[in-house]
Amino acid sequence: MRQEGEVAAAMYGNKQVRLPPGFRIALWDENRAQDINLGSVRNFVRWTRGAHPEANVSLVRCDRDCVPLLAGAHAIGLVGSIADRDRKELGAWRMTYLRREPRLKDAVHFLSMTGDEYCQLKTHQNVDLVFRNYWDAPYMKEFGAHLPEGHAAWMPMGPGHAMPLVQPSELRPGTPRKYLFNLVVSLNTHRDRKRLKDIVTSNLTAVAAHGAQWFVHYTKHWSPKYDASHNYLMPPAWKEVLLDSLYTLVPSGKNQECFRLWEALEAGSIPVVVNGRQPQCGDSWVPFREEGNPMVFLDSWEELPVYLEEVAATEASRRLAESRQSRLVKWYASFKNRHYTKLLNLLVRAAERKRSFVTSGQT
């Protein structure tokens, strides 16, 4: 039986496949769905448009009379979150709509899952492929696309929908960054967050003695509205904090993965996380370790003061940290290319199988 790491490794390294001219992907969400769950979709659309101008990929928001918006798509993705509706009925009416509508039924039908922090949704009925935005080790082990009949793949979350995307020209090397680290959290989604806040506010005297600065901002309660009325740091200000931080502390929320992790990667700020696993999702850090992510893995947050003091104490340690940050920026760009290419390859191959759509663009 494959171990989790072997499963993750088997999902990487796919060769680039040239998309057929005019290949169209429509990611279909309902108008009433929460925007907060669209981060992974937005990031996939953005990357595909940049890397493959020949592709036609878009997000479609529609509740009725959707055929004119979806007709002609070679792959139609049902964007769905268990936060929006009962998980047993995820995308049910849209799935029925696709199967019954003559102009849509021959397309590849795939589920783009969002918001499943506890890895509750295990169904894969009536769709050709399943893309999950949280790493679910048990599910991937059983249904992953590395298997002969597998059909599930990981669509990484990426930055949240409200986060202004970072342009390559905005990325800064480690030396000019103002803050050694930042901690920006809501405190009520995981017990580690309050413990980490206490460590940061009371146990870093030795780090401060070396002249290091850091940025801390927290709100007591999580809210889907990222606005000042809930004491949230507004997204443009959060982006600047990330671009000015060598490290970003990433305590677990409902899942080990969270938007903060991906926003730090996007801004070239080194994520600091704690090893562990969740009962239903397994170890979320498996694919990151398998690909050699240069972020920092601690065994507990109690290790943080010693680690930060070592970085702040000497110029040599600081240079090593800045080298890690430089590797992180390159790693993240390569990571996106590999994973999004994996998803495109799966869609093209499924289209070839389902309707003889070949990579030359002929049918």
Side-chain angles (χ1 to χ4, degrees), residues 4-49:
E4 288 181 9
E6 293 174 311
V7 170
M11 298 179 70
Y12 305 138
N14 280 37
K15 294 180 179 179
Q16 181 78 34
V17 171
R18 184 173 61 86
L19 288 178
F23 190 80
R24 185 182 171 209
I25 305 166
L27 289 136
W28 178 19
D29 200 8
E30 298 171 79
N31 282 321
R32 63 190 176 93
Q34 300 181 52
D35 285 345
I36 191 172
N37 293 316
L38 291 179
S40 59
V41 172
R42 181 195 69 159
N43 296 313
F44 174 67
V45 169
R46 178 202 184 206
W47 179 88
T48 303
R49 286 175 175 171

Side-chain angles (χ1 to χ4, degrees), residues 184-187 197 215-223 225-235:
V184 178
V185 291
S186 54
L187 297 176
K197 170 184 168 286
F215 183 95
V216 175
H217 181 92
Y218 63 90
T219 182
K220 292 182 179 179
H221 301 285
W222 177 86
S223 169
K225 296 181 179 180
Y226 294 89
D227 58 29
S229 68
H230 292 84
N231 197 35
Y232 268 72
L233 199 63
M234 296 301 289

Side-chain angles (χ1 to χ4, degrees), residues 101-112:
E101 172 53 51
R103 287 173 288 177
L104 305 178
K105 66 179 183 179
D106 290 332
V108 174
H109 300 155
F110 67 100
L111 179 62
S112 178

Side-chain angles (χ1 to χ4, degrees), residues 141-172:
K141 196 171 187 178
E142 186 172 359
F143 301 113
H146 56 282
L147 300 171
E149 301 300 325
H151 66 278
W154 185 36
M155 178 188 279
M157 291 171 61
H161 79 286
M163 171 74 174
L165 295 173
V166 176
Q167 302 301 320
S169 60
E170 296 180 280
L171 289 172
R172 305 163 191 171

Side-chain angles (χ1 to χ4, degrees), residues 115-127:
D116 188 15
E117 293 99 330
Y118 298 113
C119 301
Q120 294 171 292
L121 188 68
K122 302 300 184 181
T123 182
H124 57 276
Q125 301 177 57
N126 302 320
V127 290

